Amino acid sequence: MKIGFIGLGNLGAPIVENLLEKGHALHVYNRTASKAQPLANKGAVVCTSVKELSTICDIVFSVVADDAALNHITQGNDGIAANLKAGGIHISISTVLPATSKHLSEIHQQHNNLYIASPVMGRPEAVRARKLNFIVAGDNSAIAIIKPFLADAGASGIWEFGENVSHANVAKLCSNFLIASAIEALAEGINLAKNSGMDAQQWINMLTQTIFSSSVYINYGNIILKEAYQPPAFSLRLGLKDVNLVMEQAAETNAQMMFGKALQERMHQCVANGLGEYDWTAIALALKEKSVV
Amino acid sequence: MKIGFIGLGNLGAPIVENLLEKGHALHVYNRTASKAQPLANKGAVVCTSVKELSTICDIVFSVVADDAALNHITQGNDGIAANLKAGGIHISISTVLPATSKHLSEIHQQHNNLYIASPVMGRPEAVRARKLNFIVAGDNSAIAIIKPFLADAGASGIWEFGENVSHANVAKLCSNFLIASAIEALAEGINLAKNSGMDAQQWINMLTQTIFSSSVYINYGNIILKEAYQPPAFSLRLGLKDVNLVMEQAAETNAQMMFGKALQERMHQCVANGLGEYDWTAIALALKEKSVV
C-alpha cells in the first residue's frame, strides 16, 4: 500500500521519519515545500500538490494546523476526498472540532472513501521515543487496516472510540483541556510555594512521587520550575487555538466551563503580550508581577 | 514513651486504631466524648481534658478541624504547650495556615517543648491501607524521634521540609489546591464529554492509563463518573475551608491565583446550596443546569 503524508511540521516531520525507518515508501507534501527536503533526503517522494499525492496513495495521513487548513486540503476538486481512490483512507491527526470531523467524514463517504479521526497525544519528543497515543474513531474495518501504520508511526497506544468520528476529537479536546488546567494549577501552586519562601522543587518532587505521579505533572512541573519556555514543544498560540475549540464545543453542547473560560482569557492575554511562540507552559509568566516581555 | 491523641474524627480515629494495632499505649481525647468509646474498647485510655492528656504524655498528636480549634487546644493554661513536659513533642496533623504553625511553634518553644507541623495527605481509606503521606517540618531531632510513630500511624511516606514549621503547611495547602483544581478540571471535562454524546468513562480510562496515570485522577475521576458523593471521604465544607486558607496565604504572599479564586467561589456557592456535607468532588454538581439540591 502506498502511504501519503500531508503536513510536515513539528509533529508531522518526525512521524514521517518513524514511518520511513520502518521501511514504508512515503509520498509527502507540505505547503512550504522546503520542509519536505530533509525527508526527501531520507527517501520520501515529494509531491507538488495535495491532489497529486492523493491520487497516488491508498492511505493519506494529514497533520495540519487548524480546522480551516484541514477543510482546505480535504474538500473541493483538488482535495483529498475527491482524489483518493475508492476505499482509500484519510487519517486525520489534527486537533479539530468534532463537527469538522463529522462534516469531512460525510464528504469522504460521498467519494466512496474513508475519513478516520485520529488525533494524537504526545509532543515531538514523544514521537521520537515512539510513545504516542492515538485516539481513533471511524469505520471499524478501516481502523483495523490502519492500526499497523499507526504503530509504525510511533504509537505506544491506540485508543478506539467507536464509529462516530467526532468522538475521537471530543476525547482529544477534553484531554488538552485537562492538560492546560494542570499547567495553570501547577503554575499557581509553584508560584504560591515560592512566594511563601519554600523550595517548590521539593514540593513537586513529593507530589510527583505520590498522588500526582503522572507524566503531565512530572514534565510540566519541571518546565515551569526551570522556566524552560523556549523552544516551544507546543506553542502557546496553538494551545490557545485548542482551548478556543474546547470553548466552541462547550458552547455548542451547552457545557459550563469555568476553568475553560479562565484559561482562554489567560492564554489570549499571553499571546497578546507576545508569548505566542513560547511553550504553552509560559502561561506561568502571567503570575509574575511584571510581564517579562 | 507515652503517646496522646487529640481529635478522633474521620482521620484521627483510624490513625489511633493503626497505632493501637502496632502495640502503642495511647491516651486519647475528643471534645465530643462519645467518639472515644470505640477506641477505649480497643485499649485506648480516655482522658477528660487536653490538659490531663498533655500532662501525662511525651508525644501528643492532634488532628482538629481548623486553625481556631488548633489554637484553642494548644495555647493557654489548659493547652498542650503549657502542660506538655519539657522536651515533649506536639505533632500537629491539621491543615492550617503557615502563620498558625509558626505562632504555635513559638509558644511551644516558650514552654521548652516542641511543635512539629505534620499535615497529612490521604483520605480515611488511605489511613486503613497505611498509605498516608506525612509532610513534616520542624526541629530535626524531634522529627527523628517521631518518624517511627508516624510510620506506625500509617505512613507510607514521610516527606521532610526542613526546620521552618510553616513550610510543611505551605506544601499541604499547595497540594490541596492542586487536588481541588484537578477535581474541577475533571468535572468540566467529564461534563463536556457527556454533553458531546461520548462515553466519558472510556475517555477517563484512557487518560488514567496514559498521561494522567496518578491516584488523584483515577480516584476522583471515578467518583465524579459514578456521582458517588455520599458519604463524604472529605467534605465540601472542609474543602472550602482549605481553599479559603490557600487564598488567605495567597493574599499574604501577594500570589495571583485565578483558579484558586474560581474554586473558592464555586465551593462557597456549593456549600450555600446545601452540599457542605457531600464529598468535595460534588462541586461537579454545579455544572448541571439545575441544582439537584
Side-chain angles (χ1 to χ4, degrees), chain A residues 160 202 217 254 259 289, chain B residues 160 188 202 217 254 259 289:
Chain A
E160 299 182 45
Q202 198 186 359
Y217 285 81
N254 200 22
F259 273 11
E289 283 174 291
Chain B
E160 298 180 47
E188 292 185 26
Q202 198 185 359
Y217 285 82
N254 201 21
F259 273 11
E289 284 175 292

Side-chain angles (χ1 to χ4, degrees), chain A residues 142-258:
Chain A
I143 288 175
I145 293 169
I146 68 168
K147 278 168 82 170
F149 297 98
L150 294 177
D152 287 349
S156 66
I158 298 171
W159 304 85
E160 299 182 45
F161 280 80
E163 300 228 71
N164 183 333
V165 289
S166 70
H167 288 180
N169 302 101
V170 173
K172 169 67 177 170
L173 289 180
C174 289
S175 301
N176 273 19
F177 163 70
L178 273 206
I179 299 171
S181 295
I183 291 172
E184 173 66 25
L186 278 164
E188 292 184 25
I190 288 170
N191 189 52
L192 179 60
K194 284 184 177 174
N195 280 20
S196 301
M198 208 189 71
D199 181 346
Q201 176 81 60
Q202 198 186 359
W203 169 60
I204 290 292
N205 289 349
M206 172 187 71
L207 281 186
T208 54
Q209 290 173 71
T210 56
I211 60 176
F212 286 99
S213 58
S214 68
S215 59
V216 164
Y217 285 81
I218 295 167
N219 296 339
Y220 292 111
N222 279 321
I223 291 172
I224 294 168
L225 284 165
K226 297 196 173 89
E227 305 195 344
Y229 304 127
Q230 285 196 305
F234 184 67
S235 73
L236 223 159
R237 176 178 55 78
L238 289 175
L240 172 58
K241 184 215 79 174
D242 285 0
V243 171
N244 284 339
L245 296 181
V246 168
M247 294 312 289
E248 201 168 328
Q249 182 68 9
E252 187 70 34
T253 61
N254 200 22
Q256 261 195 64
M257 296 194 82
M258 171 175 83

Side-chain angles (χ1 to χ4, degrees), chain B:
Chain B
M1 272 197 278
K2 287 189 180 151
I3 311 298
F5 207 104
I6 297 169
L8 306 172
N10 257 1
L11 272 182
I15 293 178
V16 167
E17 289 181 15
N18 281 350
L19 287 164
L20 288 170
E21 268 177 22
K22 291 286 179 181
H24 294 289
L26 273 185
H27 289 75
V28 300
Y29 171 79
N30 195 69
R31 195 179 47 182
T32 309
S34 58
K35 287 196 179 175
Q37 196 51 52
L39 299 168
N41 296 342
K42 294 182 179 181
V45 177
V46 180
C47 294
T48 56
S49 72
V50 168
K51 182 175 179 174
E52 180 196 356
L53 180 145
S54 305
T55 309
I56 295 168
C57 297
D58 304 284
I59 293 179
V60 176
F61 285 87
S62 72
V63 193
V64 292
D66 53 27
D67 293 63
L70 181 61
N71 280 324
H72 180 73
I73 62 169
T74 307
Q75 302 179 117
N77 290 339
D78 296 333
I80 300 169
N83 294 289
L84 196 57
K85 65 192 66 173
I89 303 170
H90 175 190
I91 306 172
S92 170
I93 296 181
S94 309
T95 298
V96 294
L97 279 177
T100 298
S101 267
K102 185 165 175 292
H103 172 63
L104 295 180
S105 178
E106 286 161 4
I107 289 178
H108 272 281
Q109 278 171 30
Q110 288 161 17
H111 291 92
N112 298 313
N113 45 43
L114 294 140
Y115 175 97
I116 299 295
S118 182
V120 69
M121 295 195 298
R123 303 182 15 135
E125 66 267 26
V127 184
R128 285 182 280 270
R130 296 186 174 273
K131 289 190 173 168
L132 294 176
N133 282 288
F134 286 97
I135 305 172
V136 298
D139 181 84
N140 277 334
S141 344
I143 288 175
I145 292 169
I146 69 168
K147 278 167 84 169
F149 296 99
L150 294 178
D152 287 348
S156 66
I158 298 170
W159 304 84
E160 298 180 47
F161 280 79
E163 300 228 70
N164 183 333
V165 289
S166 70
H167 289 179
N169 302 101
V170 172
K172 169 67 176 170
L173 289 180
C174 289
S175 301
N176 273 18
F177 164 70
L178 273 205
I179 298 171
S181 295
I183 291 173
E184 173 66 25
L186 278 163
E188 292 185 26
I190 287 170
N191 188 52
L192 180 60
K194 284 184 176 174
N195 281 19
S196 301
M198 208 189 73
D199 182 345
Q201 176 81 61
Q202 198 185 359
W203 169 60
I204 290 292
N205 289 349
M206 172 188 71
L207 281 186
T208 54
Q209 290 172 71
T210 55
I211 60 176
F212 286 99
S213 58
S214 68
S215 60
V216 164
Y217 285 82
I218 295 167
N219 296 341
Y220 291 112
N222 280 322
I223 292 173
I224 294 169
L225 283 166
K226 298 196 173 92
E227 305 195 343
Y229 304 128
Q230 285 195 304
F234 184 66
S235 73
L236 223 159
R237 176 177 56 77
L238 289 175
L240 172 59
K241 183 216 80 175
D242 285 1
V243 171
N244 284 339
L245 296 181
V246 168
M247 294 312 290
E248 201 168 329
Q249 182 67 9
E252 188 70 33
T253 61
N254 201 21
Q256 260 196 63
M257 296 193 84
M258 172 176 83
F259 273 11
K261 189 162 185 297
L263 282 168
Q264 188 179 35
E265 287 168 11
R266 161 110 337 145
M267 294 172 87
H268 180 79
Q269 193 58 51
C270 285
V271 169
N273 288 344
L275 296 175
E277 298 309 320
Y278 283 57
D279 194 75
W280 66 334
T281 43
I283 55 173
L285 291 173
L287 302 178
K288 301 206 168 185
E289 284 175 292
K290 288 174 188 170
S291 175
V292 293
V293 180

